[in-house]
Amino acid sequence: MLRNAGVRIAIDDFGTGYSSFSRVQNVMIDRIKIDKSFIDAVQGDSKPLIEAMINMARAKGLKTTAEGVETNEQSDALVALGCDSLQGFLISRPLARAAIIDLFNGTGKRTFTA
């Protein structure tokens, strides 16, 4: 019923705490958000894990978002791995409500660099 209303559900901080692989089997979700702790080491130890998360999501028909993207190098690596979307300071610093409204209305200054 929620999907019919246009609601989409994501698992936040995927790969940590209670956000485990078993949640993908048990909960109707649309997206997983890969935790920043993995993104920080995307060009090192975390790369195979991130790639596995993206491939698992794709196999289940889910989208992926990388959280905490702060550098162009992280962005480039995640795009190369096939991550669907990026979130973090590289894209935009947190904005006040009024600045978000202005941005969506086309009257605000775009703060993202990617």
Side-chain angles (χ1 to χ4, degrees):
M1 183 165 20
L2 289 175
R3 282 201 173 136
N4 292 338
V7 174
R8 298 293 174 254
I9 299 172
I11 294 180
D12 197 25
D13 299 331
F14 188 77
T16 64
Y18 293 107
S19 299
S20 66
F21 282 102
S22 66
R23 298 286 185 208
V24 176
Q25 293 287 71
N26 301 328
V27 180
M28 290 182 55
I29 59 169
D30 302 288
R31 175 177 302 272
I32 61 170
K33 295 176 72 178
I34 302 168
D35 188 71
K36 181 183 182 339
S37 63
F38 295 100
I39 304 312
D40 288 341
V42 69
Q43 294 171 309
D45 294 344
S46 291
K47 183 176 180 179
L49 296 173
I50 293 169
E51 187 172 23
M53 288 181 214
I54 291 169
N55 289 335
M56 180 270 313
R58 192 172 291 136
K60 295 289 291 175
L62 306 174
K63 299 290 185 185
T64 54
T65 299
E67 299 179 330
V69 179
E70 297 178 348
T71 68
N72 287 320
E73 292 78 17
Q74 289 171 330
S75 173
D76 292 345
L78 291 159
V79 168
L81 289 172
C83 190
D84 295 300
S85 61
L86 309 177
Q87 171 185 322
F89 287 166
L90 180 65
I91 310 305
S92 177
R93 295 287 181 174
L95 299 173
R97 182 176 183 262
I100 294 170
I101 291 169
D102 288 345
L103 184 63
F104 281 106
N105 287 333
T107 58
K109 179 182 168 191
R110 291 174 50 164
T111 60
F112 53 86
T113 59

